Amino acid sequence: LIVRRLVHRMGYRYRLGGMRLPGRPDLVFPRRRAAILVQGCFWHQHPDANCKLARRPKSRLDFWEPKLAANRQRDERNKVALEAAGWRVLEVWECQLRDTAALGESIVTFLGAR
């Protein structure tokens, strides 16, 4: 919701869900052929070493490690499929939601002029 409100406030209009697109992107900008994926740092294992939200579980590693690795592999496959279909993709990570000014700048850079 934070990303949706921010994008709307900046004057961009989007569609939700991208049902027919690989990975069902959260926000889709059809005219711009652009999609935004909002990823939870834990569930999608944010690769940034400074992200404290992407911590590894300490118990039941036999369950969590394959599950989280599969999530990351699926995300990468979906991103590649979107790009192969001619879409530009921006991944917004949960930890980036804290600094909405910086997030807004990266979204404007990604989407371009309104």
Side-chain angles (χ1 to χ4, degrees):
L1 287 174
I2 293 169
V3 176
R4 288 167 47 182
R5 287 185 191 124
L6 178 63
V7 168
H8 190 269
R9 218 176 18 243
M10 293 185 324
Y12 295 103
R13 298 302 174 254
Y14 55 88
R15 297 207 180 268
L16 293 177
M19 298 297 251
R20 298 173 191 229
L21 296 174
R24 295 174 49 193
D26 298 292
L27 282 74
V28 178
F29 304 83
R31 284 191 214 139
R32 299 171 189 273
R33 299 284 292 177
I36 295 179
L37 302 168
V38 181
Q39 311 285 36
C41 293
F42 172 76
W43 291 106
H44 299 270
Q45 289 299 285
H46 189 187
D48 183 0
N50 296 323
C51 179
K52 294 183 189 329
L53 300 176
R55 63 180 172 31
R56 289 287 203 188
K58 294 182 181 176
S59 63
R60 295 193 57 208
L61 296 179
D62 57 323
F63 170 77
W64 283 110
E65 286 181 346
K67 173 157 184 54
L68 296 175
N71 287 352
R72 193 71 202 129
Q73 290 170 352
R74 184 193 64 232
D75 292 341
E76 192 57 36
R77 277 194 315 270
N78 290 334
K79 187 176 176 182
V80 167
L82 281 168
E83 290 170 345
W87 289 82
R88 294 178 304 118
V89 180
L90 175 67
E91 280 185 313
V92 174
W93 292 96
E94 177 184 7
C95 61
Q96 293 175 303
L97 301 179
R98 294 177 181 166
D99 187 357
T100 56
L103 178 58
E105 287 177 26
S106 64
I107 290 172
V108 168
T109 300
F110 173 68
L111 293 175
R114 283 169 219 122

